[in-house]
């Protein structure tokens, strides 16, 4: 039995919710699909599918195998793509989506270097803070800042950025330095409109205990640079990633608030539709970004 083919057939049966539809997708006969499933169950000595004339469902063993089999098939497809795309010269238009502030501060300085390495690639970069549908809107890949990864696409981690609470020295001198999360309720916040938790600010103390505050915000914005400018102007307290405010903290233009409390880190991700048939231009861009942002990322470097 070709076990890899059997896993592919099994995954397709589950995804298509039926033997006939799986056979059509795999360009084979329903009899072949049935044979592969039967051979796989015999090899594993367990039933994977409960099936009747009307309904099909996974057994507990089938559920466990389905998730692992999908991962195995993705790994095989990625390995094949690496070999096949290695022989291709990256070329053509590469459409990239990225968040506005991150794109301006940390990606824009890299594009000239990338294009000198790959002169046959033409970049088309769109900076948009909202989360786009990569496939629907015609992008080859996106760079995203996220705590949750990507449910509908494949993601590769490029770097990490710490979220921090901060305010200008002038604001802290005028309003005082809060000592506990609860004391933030006596301060003015600057809210980020796209935050998943809205004005509910979450943090952990040194012992790992969670704290949350419904922050009273005097201003909201959907752009991190605007929030940063408001904080620099002494308007209130912000929480923003170090990729945006790291230089201000090092220069003393902003000051950490509640430095003994930690907010959840953010992952910088390269997101693309699928490992299967990944084009050479996307692959070299992802590898390039990994190399440029690896180790201590630029926003946390002191020199």
């Amino acid at each position: 039995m070709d076990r890899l083919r059997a896993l592919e057939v099994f995954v397709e049966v589950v995804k298509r919710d039926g033997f006939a539809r799986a056979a059509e997708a795999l360009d084979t006969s329903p009899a072949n699909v049935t044979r592969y499933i039967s051979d796989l169950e015999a090899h594993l000595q367990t039933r994977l599918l409960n099936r009747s004339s009307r309904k099909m469902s996974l057994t507990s063993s089938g559920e466990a195998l389905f998730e692992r089999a999908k991962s195995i098939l993705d790994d095989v497809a990625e390995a094949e793509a690496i070999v096949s795309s290695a022989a291709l010269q990256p070329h053509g238009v590469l459409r990239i989506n990225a968040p506005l502030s991150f794109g301006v501060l940390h990606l824009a300085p890299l594009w000239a270097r990338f294009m000198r390495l790959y002169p046959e690639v033409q970049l088309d970069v769109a900076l948009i803070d909202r989360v786009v549908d990569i496939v629907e809107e015609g992008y080859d890949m996106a760079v995203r800042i996220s705590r949750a990864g990507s449910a509908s696409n494949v993601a590769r981690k490029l770097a990490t950025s710490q979220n921090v609470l901060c305010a200008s020295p002038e604001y802290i001198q005028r309003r005082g330095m809060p000592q506990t999360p609860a004391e933030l309720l006596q301060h003015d916040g600057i809210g980020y409109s796209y935050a998943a938790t809205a004005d509910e600010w979450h943090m952990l103390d040194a012992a790992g205990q969670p704290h949350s505050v419904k922050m009273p915000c005097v201003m909201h914005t959907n752009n991190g640079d605007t929030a940063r400018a408001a904080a620099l102007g002494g308007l209130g307290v912000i929480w923003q990633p170090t990729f945006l405010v790291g230089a201000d903290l090092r220069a003393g233009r902003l000051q950490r608030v509640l430095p003994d409390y930690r907010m959840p880190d953010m992952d910088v991700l390269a997101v693309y539709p699928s490992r299967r048939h990944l084009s050479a231009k996307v692959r070299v861009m992802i590898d390039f970004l990994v190399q440029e942002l690896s180790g201590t990322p630029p926003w946390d470097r002191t020199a």
Side-chain angles (χ1 to χ4, degrees):
M1 178 185 65
D2 183 341
R3 281 186 285 177
L4 190 61
R5 177 62 172 173
L7 289 178
E8 184 179 16
V9 170
F10 169 67
V11 167
E12 203 65 35
V13 167
V14 176
K15 287 167 59 178
R16 304 281 176 175
D17 194 28
F19 284 54
R21 286 188 288 271
E24 183 178 357
L26 294 168
D27 194 23
T28 188
S29 68
N32 272 338
V33 171
T34 301
R35 178 175 58 81
Y36 271 112
I37 297 300
S38 297
D39 288 350
L40 184 60
E41 289 179 327
H43 174 73
L44 297 174
Q45 297 183 338
T46 186
R47 179 175 289 278
L48 301 173
L49 298 165
N50 295 314
R51 46 200 185 270
S52 67
S53 58
R54 293 186 177 181
K55 186 178 180 181
M56 185 193 75
S57 63
L58 284 167
T59 65
S60 57
S61 297
E63 289 179 357
L65 180 64
F66 178 63
E67 294 303 322
R68 190 70 187 104
K70 284 196 302 181
S71 177
I72 290 170
L73 292 171
D74 278 345
D75 288 343
V76 170
E78 184 172 21
E80 291 174 342
I82 289 171
V83 174
S84 62
S85 65
L88 299 177
Q89 178 67 28
H91 69 282
V93 177
L94 175 58
R95 296 197 68 218
I96 303 174
N97 168 263
L100 178 59
S101 299
F102 188 84
V104 171
L105 289 172
H106 302 293
L107 296 179
L110 303 179
W111 299 141
R113 191 177 314 146
F114 174 85
M115 295 186 73
R116 282 194 292 269
L117 291 171
Y118 303 101
E120 298 302 315
V121 177
Q122 297 88 48
L123 295 182
D124 183 351
V125 181
L127 302 182
I128 307 171
D129 279 336
R130 67 176 173 84
V131 176
V132 304
D133 185 314
I134 298 175
V135 175
E136 184 71 21
E137 300 188 36
Y139 292 101
D140 297 295
M141 60 172 287
V143 175
R144 289 185 182 160
I145 316 297
S146 172
R147 279 187 288 170
S150 175
S152 58
N153 297 287
V154 182
R156 183 174 176 185
K157 184 176 175 180
L158 303 175
T160 299
S161 183
Q162 183 183 354
N163 279 321
V164 295
L165 290 168
C166 55
S168 70
E170 181 270 329
Y171 174 87
I172 292 172
Q173 184 177 16
R174 187 175 78 249
R175 298 289 298 274
M177 174 67 82
Q179 300 300 312
T180 67
E183 291 184 19
L184 286 172
L185 295 173
Q186 309 305 316
H187 285 262
D188 296 330
I190 301 165
Y192 182 59
S193 303
Y194 288 148
T197 56
D199 293 339
E200 192 85 21
W201 292 7
H202 299 277
M203 60 205 78
L204 300 174
D205 62 25
Q209 294 299 309
H211 300 262
S212 63
V213 175
K214 182 69 173 179
M215 191 66 187
C217 291
V218 297
M219 174 182 172
H220 290 86
T221 176
N222 66 354
N223 175 257
D225 287 304
T226 301
R228 169 182 170 268
L232 288 169
L235 188 62
V237 181
I238 59 172
W239 72 264
Q240 287 292 328
T242 50
F243 76 72
L244 185 66
V245 298
D248 296 314
L249 292 170
R250 289 190 293 273
R253 294 185 293 269
L254 292 174
Q255 188 172 341
R256 286 284 298 268
V257 172
L258 299 179
D260 293 331
Y261 292 78
R262 186 177 182 89
M263 304 190 81
D265 290 342
M266 305 295 282
D267 286 338
V268 181
L269 305 172
V271 179
Y272 45 103
S274 172
R275 285 189 176 97
R276 295 177 183 269
H277 311 302
L278 187 62
S279 67
K281 62 187 177 183
V282 173
R283 182 169 299 282
V284 295
M285 173 57 77
I286 293 172
D287 290 343
F288 172 78
L289 292 176
V290 168
Q291 180 177 343
E292 291 295 324
L293 301 179
S294 63
T296 302
W299 47 89
D300 288 336
R301 295 171 190 166
T302 56

